[in-house]
Amino acid sequence: MIQSDWITEHFEELVKEHGGCYIAVVDKEIVARGDNPKDVENEALRRYPDKIPSVMKVPTEDDIVCLL
């Protein structure tokens, strides 16, 4: 399973727990979280220098409702 599949599979959980924050995912694990995407990416790269993290802003539940 690639990271994007893991993110899709756990999307509802991510929204509930991390809505409004940026997260970095490496090997199906959230390895960094914060308000600044560059800081989140740098933390993930510091912890896992040989990996390429998937960094994304997790929408809030309100963001999703607005899209519908």
Side-chain angles (χ1 to χ4, degrees):
M1 177 184 300
I2 60 175
Q3 291 179 145
S4 61
D5 291 341
W6 182 88
I7 291 168
T8 301
E9 185 176 307
H10 293 87
F11 189 74
E12 187 175 324
E13 176 185 333
L14 293 173
V15 170
K16 287 181 181 178
E17 293 181 21
H18 305 286
C21 293
Y22 288 91
I23 61 168
V25 178
V26 173
D27 293 337
K28 300 183 250 175
E29 178 184 353
I30 297 170
V31 298
R33 176 185 171 192
D35 296 324
N36 182 297
K38 193 63 179 167
D39 292 343
V40 170
E41 180 181 37
N42 287 340
E43 174 65 16
L45 291 170
R46 183 188 67 74
R47 293 181 64 194
Y48 296 90
D50 297 336
K51 305 280 185 169
I52 299 173
S54 293
V55 178
M56 66 173 281
K57 182 169 187 178
V58 180
T60 65
E61 290 181 4
D62 288 342
D63 292 336
I64 294 171
V65 171
C66 288
L67 293 174
L68 299 176

